[in-house]
Structure formats: C-alpha cells, structure tokens
C-alpha cells in the first residue's frame, strides 16, 4: 500500500513539473495561428498587438494592399507587436502572418481609420481655460492637440484630454495660451494634422475673479507652505511699508480689476497697468496630510497682482503664478513659494476683498462693474424693500449689501421711499443714456400692463415712468417681470424705445420674435408687444424679456423665457 502511494506521488509530480522547453514544444505543435489582434481599425504609425500561437516564428506581417512589415517585436511565443505601415489599402482587407512556408489569415479584417472633424463647440469664441467639445469620426486616432502661442506651440497630449472616444474629444484650453484668434491643430498617431476652425480666445469671458479687488486686512505676509492658508508668521496691512515693495500698489487706494481675461492694476497715483490672467481650477495641491490645500492656480502674463513680488533679500523677483487658496464672492487668498519648497517652507500670502461701492445719498450716480458689491446705506427699513433682480442681488446674510447684476458702466440709482424700491438707470455723462447706432447705450420700456416694483405702479404711456432695461453686454438688454406682480397675466401692450421718452422706437420692421407667448404688432400698434391669442401668462412665474441688438438696431430680436 505504501509502495502504490509512492508511485502515485512520482506520477503526479511528473505531470505537474515540466520544463519551459517542453511547454514551448507543446505550443509549437499547435502551429501558426491568430487568435485576436487589436486594434482592428488602424492608421499608419499605430501599434498593432497580435496574439496566437507560433508567433515567434513569424517573419512578416502583411497588411491590406500587400504591404509587409518585417520589423516585428516578439513579446512571447504567443504575442507580437508591429507598427502599422504607410500605404495600407484604404478599403481595408486581410491581415496575414507569414512564417517560412506557412501563412495564416485573421478571421476579422483590417479596416483603416480616417479621422475627421464635424463640429467644434463653442464654434466662435472660447474663454481661456474653457472646455472644448469636438465631434467627428475615428477621433480615437488623435494623439495631440496643438494650441499656437506667440511664445511657442502648446501641446496637450491625449492622456490629458478630458475625454476621448471614437466620435468625441473634450479638452481644455490651456491657461498659457494668449488671447486672440488662432487655430488648433489635432495630430493623429500617423503625424498628420487636422486644422480646426479659427477660434477667438476672448478677453470678455467672465472669470471667477470678475470685478475690482482691494487689499483686505491683513493684506500680506508669510507662513508655512502647504500648511497655512493665510499669513501664519508675520503680516501687514495696506500702507506705506507694503507700498515700498511696489510703489503705488500697496496703499488702500490701490486696486486691481479682473475683466474677462484681462487684469488691470490701478495704482494709487492714478496710473494703470494692464496684462492678462487665466485660472486653472484643475491644478490643485494637497497639504502634508493629503488634504486639499489649494483650489486652483492663477497665472498672469505681462503683469502680476498688487505687490506680486518675492521679497527675500537677494532673491527678489516678480511672481506670475499663484496658488489659489480661497476665493468667494468677496474674498481672495493667493500664495506663492519657489519651486521645490516643501511643507512648512516659507511662502507668502496675498489677501484681497472685493471693492465695495458705498452709496448714502440718493439719487446716486456711480461707476460700477458687474459682480461688484454695492452698499446702499442710510435706509432704515431696507430689509423690506423690493429689489430689482435685473440690477441687484442681495448678498446673503445682509440687508444693505448687493451684488451688481448688469454690465460695467455708469448708473443712476433712485430710492423711492414711498414704494420702497430702487430704480436704476444707465447714464451717459450726467443724463439718462440713449441707444446708440452701434447697439450700445440703453433701451427703455413704456406702455400698459407692466410696472415696478409692482403692476400697481403701471407705467402706462407716461414717458416719465419709463423703465430702463438692464444692459447685459453683447448688445443685449433684459427686463424680468413676474406674472401677476409686475406684468398682467392676460393683457399687455408696451413698446421698446431708444430713449427715456418719445423719439426712436422699435417697430414691426426692426424688431422680430419667434416667441409662442408674444407677438409684435403692426398698423396702429406698430412695434407694440402683445400676448399671442389665447395665451395667458402663469401667475407667479418670472418671464425674462431680452432684446438682442447684436445684429444691428434695425434687426432686433426679442426672446421671452419663463425662468
């Protein structure tokens, strides 16, 4: 019994243990075969992986068009790699392996990729750092996107694309590209290039810092890199000591304006310096414990932020790249440390707050930017006032602070203590603005069925009560009206004018709409906006009326959108 067990043990051991040579001989007995190859759709220059048997004996790989490749990378007996050659037949065909007097044909044919672009979105303008979407066919063959720049091409590799599939690419405009018109080139794995339609990388796209910023308190100081989130060792407020590092930039009167992709420093002596900036919210950093420390990166060009200098003696230099530690509607914290600085190494911090425009007497004429904070003072019951959303949005947690909603410009703010609301008008000099031939300026509303702060204050055909629409930029103007509160639900009859009063007005041949809610009258009601037959506005719903003059003041387009 013991003898039989010993023999069985030897027999089993012999079946389990075999040499590599024996395994290879067994595999060779299977002959030359192709089990699978990938990809089956190829382009010149692309690596093709082939698995099967007997592959280490292959002398050439034949592609459609009788194009043979003899430069073969043998990974193993069952695995070889080749680079797809030029001149493959565009119709595709068989993949054939040759080994001595043997040959074998793959069951699946080879097809040839022909990448092309169908659409680009956005198709005209793109903000620096914006996301681009490109659709087409065989998009998987694009390996690079090249963005031209005055300082040399910027190449984005496919591995850094947001998304890549056979029909779609998504990628982000690099923050290092300069503004202006340029064409992106997509490069295939074969090295061929496809040029995209020209894009305008614009300055007037709204960035996260849009608006005017001034020094906070504390304003500047040092602390531990990747540890502190504001000065932790030493700090100073705006004043003469800070101003010494960059004269004109360290005083309370100094400010900087982010507008689109442009950055303007307003120095305390009244002079201005202009450059560009971009924000990349993908470039974040972790602290020493692996927690989020920064939320992105700010890059400036031809300019730096206020007092944007490294102040170490013997190492002084301007700074153009900053870690963003915090930014909210009213606060910004930036940080910089030299390359190679580790946790707890010295870093400098800049702290800014959004500039507040203070108003205490009414009517008030103010120059204000979109997104800027405005403080409306000396109104005791302001918490109960109606706030026009086209111009003002109350800052959460406050009664008298507001974020300005219209485009940059000069405005007059009226305070109506009886009806308890603010009426805002666009100014040109000291007078209410009129509409200019180029579509800039102001558009006014006069007529029946609407009123602010409620329809109880109906405008009627009294030009002295004309409502100024909010300019949005791009020659577009908006008025938002809540049905049943500011606009009748069942009958309206008003018109858009070029001025606060009689004179230029939009008529049926200069204003069109495709709205299912309203139409533009003709004849005696030429240009009047009225509800479509059998249309009733839904009570409590806000309707946004926008007049678009980007096609010219004689080709105005009205849209009406329930919000």
């Amino acid at each position: 019994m013991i003898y039989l067990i010993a023999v069985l043990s030897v027999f089993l051991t012999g079946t389990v243990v075999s040499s590599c040579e024996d395994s290879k001989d067994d595999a060779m007995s299977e002959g030359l075969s192709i089990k699978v190859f990938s990809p089956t759709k190829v382009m010149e220059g692309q690596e093709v992986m082939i698995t099967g048997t007997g592959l280490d004996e292959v002398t050439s790989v034949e592609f459609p068009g009788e194009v043979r490749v003899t430069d073969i990378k043998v990974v193993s007996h069952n695995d070889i790699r080749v680079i797809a050659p030029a001149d493959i037949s565009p119709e595709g065909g068989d993949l054939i392996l040759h080994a001595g007097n043997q040959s074998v044909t793959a069951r699946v044919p080879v097809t040839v990729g022909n990448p092309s672009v169908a659409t680009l979105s956005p198709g005209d303008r793109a903000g620096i750092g914006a996301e681009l979407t490109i659709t087409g066919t065989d998009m998987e063959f694009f390996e690079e996107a090249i963005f031209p720049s005055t300082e040399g091409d910027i190449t984005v590799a496919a591995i850094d694309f947001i998304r890549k599939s056979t029909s779609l690419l998504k990628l982000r405009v690099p923050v290092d590209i300069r503004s202006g018109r340029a064409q992106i080139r997509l490069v295939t794995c074969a090295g061929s290039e496809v040029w995209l339609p020209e894009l305008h990388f614009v300055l007037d796209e709204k960035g996260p810092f849009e608006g005017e910023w001034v020094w906070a308190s504390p304003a500047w100081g040092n602390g531990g890199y990747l540890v502190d989130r504001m000065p932790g060792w030493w700090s100073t407020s705006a004043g003469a000591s800070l101003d010494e590092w960059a004269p004109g930039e360290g005083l309370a009167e100094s400010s900087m304006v982010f507008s689109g992709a442009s950055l303007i420093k307003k120095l305390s002596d009244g002079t201005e310096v202009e450059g560009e900036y971009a924000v990349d919210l993908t470039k974040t950093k972790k602290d020493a414990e692996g927690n989020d420390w920064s939320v992105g990166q700010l890059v400036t060009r031809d300019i730096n932020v206020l007092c944007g200098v490294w102040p170490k003696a013997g190492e002084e230099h301007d700074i153009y790249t900053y870690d963003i530690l915090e930014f909210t509607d009213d606060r910004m914290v930036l940080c910089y440390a030299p390359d190679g600085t580790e946790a707890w190494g010295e870093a400098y911090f800049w702290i800014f707050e959004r500039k507040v425009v203070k108003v205490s007497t009414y009517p008030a004429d103010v120059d204000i930017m979109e997104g800027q904070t405005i403080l409306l003072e000396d109104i005791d019951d302001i918490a109960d006032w109606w706030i026009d959303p086209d111009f003002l949005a109350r800052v959460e947690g406050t009664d008298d602070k507001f974020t300005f909603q219209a485009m940059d410009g000069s405005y007059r703010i009226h305070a109506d203590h009886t009806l308890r609301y603010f009426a805002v008008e666009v100014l040109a000099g000291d007078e209410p603005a009129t509409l200019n031939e180029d579509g800039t300026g102001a558009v006014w509303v006069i007529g029946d069925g609407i009123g602010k702060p409620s329809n109880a204050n109906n405008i009627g055909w009294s030009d002295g009560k004309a409502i100024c629409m909010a300019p949005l930029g791009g020659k577009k103007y908006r008025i938002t009206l809540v049905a049943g509160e500011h606009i009748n639900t069942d009958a309206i009859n008003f018109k858009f004018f070029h001025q606060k009063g009689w004179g230029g007005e939009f008529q049926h041949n200069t204003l069109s709409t495709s709205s299912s809610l309203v139409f533009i009258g003709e004849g005696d009601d030429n240009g009047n906006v009225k509800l479509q037959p059998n249309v009733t506005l839904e009570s409590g719903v806000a309707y946004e009326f926008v007049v678009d003059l980007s096609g010219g003041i004689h080709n105005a387009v009205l849209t009406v959108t329930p919000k």
Side-chain angles (χ1 to χ4, degrees), residues 116-136:
S116 63
V117 171
T119 66
L120 170 64
S121 178
D124 179 42
R125 303 157 67 85
I128 295 172
E131 183 178 298
L132 300 178
T133 299
I134 309 161
T135 65

Side-chain angles (χ1 to χ4, degrees), residues 38 44 64 78 166 168 182 192 237 295 301 308 316 401 435 454 475 487 491 555:
S38 177
E44 174 191 352
N78 301 317
T166 189
L168 180 144
S192 58
S237 299
V295 298
R301 291 184 291 271
E316 298 95 334
K401 277 189 177 181
L435 184 64
S454 72
K475 302 175 184 178
I487 183 171
N555 295 288

Side-chain angles (χ1 to χ4, degrees), residues 80-104:
I80 61 175
R81 314 287 172 90
V82 294
I83 301 300
D87 302 323
I88 301 175
S89 172
E91 290 78 24
D94 291 334
L95 179 78
I96 305 171
L97 303 186
H98 299 278
N101 59 359
Q102 299 182 72
S103 65
V104 63

Side-chain angles (χ1 to χ4, degrees), residues 182-394:
Q183 284 182 277
I184 304 167
R185 311 191 312 270
L186 298 179
V187 184
T188 70
C189 55
S192 58
E193 296 182 350
V194 174
W195 290 71
L196 300 184
E198 186 178 70
L199 272 176
H200 186 192
F201 299 104
V202 292
L203 296 178
D204 59 356
E205 294 295 298
K206 300 303 181 185
F209 298 148
E210 192 76 13
E212 188 169 6
W213 297 79
V214 295
W215 291 109
S217 182
W220 192 56
N222 64 355
Y225 187 57
L226 299 177
V227 178
D228 291 327
R229 299 181 61 82
M230 61 181 299
W233 303 341
W234 166 87
S235 65
T236 186
S237 299
S241 61
L242 180 56
D243 200 56
E244 291 178 1
W245 289 104
E249 300 183 18
L251 301 182
E253 297 80 13
S254 312
S255 68
M256 57 184 181
V257 176
F258 292 85
S259 179
S262 66
L263 172 57
I264 303 167
K265 287 196 293 192
K266 296 183 176 182
L267 309 189
S268 56
D269 63 2
T271 60
E272 295 185 359
V273 181
E274 183 171 357
E276 296 179 357
Y277 84 100
V279 173
D280 189 343
L281 298 182
T282 68
K283 292 188 176 179
T284 60
K285 293 180 180 177
K286 303 284 187 181
D287 63 19
E289 297 178 353
N291 300 314
D292 292 335
W293 181 71
S294 66
V295 298
Q297 189 178 84
L298 169 70
V299 178
T300 63
R301 291 184 291 271
D302 303 326
I303 196 171
N304 49 15
V305 302
L306 293 174
C307 294
V309 296
W310 180 252
K312 300 295 291 181
E315 303 175 17
E316 298 95 334
H317 61 274
D318 290 333
I319 300 168
Y320 300 97
T321 301
Y322 308 81
D323 291 311
I324 305 169
L325 303 190
E326 178 184 348
F327 76 87
T328 63
D329 286 343
D330 56 8
R331 180 177 170 85
M332 178 197 314
V333 181
L334 306 176
C335 178
Y336 169 81
D339 290 342
T341 302
E342 298 181 352
W344 285 110
E346 185 176 31
Y348 269 79
F349 300 79
W350 291 255
I351 305 96
F352 302 101
E353 61 186 13
R354 198 179 292 275
K355 183 177 180 179
V356 176
V357 175
K358 295 182 179 181
V359 175
S360 56
T361 58
Y362 305 89
D365 293 353
V366 296
D367 291 327
I368 192 165
M369 300 179 64
E370 181 178 359
Q372 195 164 15
T373 300
I374 183 167
L375 178 64
L376 301 178
E377 300 179 306
D378 295 340
I379 298 179
D380 294 336
D381 59 348
I382 193 170
D384 300 322
W385 283 39
W386 178 77
I387 303 302
D388 189 339
D390 288 318
F391 289 97
L392 301 169
R394 184 174 267 124

Side-chain angles (χ1 to χ4, degrees), residues 52-104:
T53 59
L55 301 187
D56 55 348
E57 301 296 325
V58 171
T59 56
S60 67
V61 179
E62 182 179 337
F63 286 83
E66 300 183 350
V67 184
R68 291 199 183 197
V69 176
T70 57
D71 185 6
I72 301 169
K73 179 183 179 182
V74 178
V75 179
S76 72
H77 172 71
N78 301 317
D79 187 351
I80 61 175
R81 314 287 172 90
V82 294
I83 301 300
D87 302 323
I88 301 175
S89 172
E91 290 78 24
D94 291 334
L95 179 78
I96 305 171
L97 303 186
H98 299 278
N101 59 359
Q102 299 182 72
S103 65
V104 63

